């Protein structure tokens, strides 16, 4: 039985959303292609010399699809024998990026968050349906937040009910504590 090593590859800390509940929104220079090459080559070399392991690489951010080198990163890490390449995204990127990942035979998961303050549900669902109807080789997970002034868990489940026909679809509904600075949070431990 092979052991698995997990890597979260923070492609960029930049994000095009500025959610009050998230600290990932940054404005910084993107890494150069040389820096990305070093990271990708490190992962590839590690997977070669330590071949008894499986490597799960999660492309993450900020919003990783904003990085101008995201296609190069996907190309470099795709089709590697013991590297599983996955992505966590706010789903605002070009659909060609998501298709590139879905076309990679070693990709297993695509986690796509829905931000009801940034994207209409109809647009999100149209994009989601496009991918699910074309790619059954990868699990596509809708990530939906519940909280103050948001849809409830039951409302979200009803809105996404048509997608349960896809065997490669799953959904994660998670609560938010939207800190607005008006309350004091004290650790009582």
């Amino acid at each position: 039985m092979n052991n698995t090593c997990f890597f979260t590859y923070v492609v960029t800390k930049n994000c095009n959303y500025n959610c009050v509940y998230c600290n990932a929104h940054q404005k910084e220079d993107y890494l150069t292609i040389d820096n990305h090459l070093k990271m990708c080559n490190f992962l590839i070399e590690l997977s070669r010399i330590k071949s008894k392991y499986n490597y799960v690489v999660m492309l993450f951010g900020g919003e990783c699809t904003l990085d101008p080198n995201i296609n190069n990163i996907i190309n470099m890490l795709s089709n590697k024998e013991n590297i599983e390449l996955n992505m966590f995204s706010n789903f605002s990127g070009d659909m060609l990026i998501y298709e590139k990942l879905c076309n990679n035979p070693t990709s297993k998961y695509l986690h796509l968050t829905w931000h009801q303050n940034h994207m209409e549900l109809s647009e999100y669902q149209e994009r989601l349906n496009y991918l699910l109807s074309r790619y059954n080789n990868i699990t596509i997970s809708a990530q939906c937040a519940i909280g103050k002034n948001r849809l409830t868990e039951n409302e979200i489940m009803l809105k996404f009910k048509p997608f349960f026909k896809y065997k490669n679809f799953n959904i994660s509904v998670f609560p938010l504590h939207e800190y607005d600075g008006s309350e004091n949070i004290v650790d009582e431990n």
Side-chain angles (χ1 to χ4, degrees), residues 175-189:
L176 292 178
H177 171 73
E178 297 188 48
Y179 180 64
D180 64 4
S182 66
E183 48 188 285
N184 292 320
I185 299 176
V186 178
D187 184 2
E188 296 182 12
N189 294 326

Side-chain angles (χ1 to χ4, degrees), residues 163-176:
F163 296 94
F164 288 103
K165 68 182 179 188
Y166 296 108
K167 293 185 183 334
N168 61 322
F169 172 74
N170 67 38
I171 188 167
S172 174
V173 179
F174 56 94
L176 292 178

Side-chain angles (χ1 to χ4, degrees), residues 102-133:
C102 290
N103 280 316
N104 174 30
T106 64
S107 292
K108 302 267 190 278
Y109 295 96
L110 178 55
H111 302 279
L112 302 169
T113 58
W114 174 54
H115 298 263
Q116 72 183 61
N117 298 337
H118 299 290
M119 183 184 287
E120 293 293 325
L121 180 61
S122 59
E123 180 187 356
Y124 180 93
Q125 289 182 324
E126 183 180 310
R127 290 166 60 95
L128 183 65
N129 190 63
Y130 176 85
L131 291 176
L132 285 166
S133 66

Side-chain angles (χ1 to χ4, degrees), residues 19 21-22 88-89 111-116 124 141-148 150-153 156-157 171-178:
C19 303
Y21 51 84
C22 180
F88 198 97
S89 169
H111 302 279
L112 302 169
T113 58
W114 174 54
H115 298 263
Q116 72 183 61
Y124 180 93
S141 177
Q143 308 286 311
C144 304
I146 56 175
K148 185 178 177 182
R150 295 177 175 276
L151 295 177
T152 66
E153 182 177 359
I156 287 172
M157 297 309 275
I171 188 167
S172 174
V173 179
F174 56 94
L176 292 178
H177 171 73
E178 297 188 48

Side-chain angles (χ1 to χ4, degrees), residues 10-11 15 36 64 71 76-77 81 97 105 124 142 146 161:
V10 179
V11 176
C15 186
H36 285 302
C64 56
N71 284 310
M76 285 185 276
L77 296 175
E81 187 175 328
I97 295 169
Y124 180 93
I146 56 175
K161 188 175 181 179

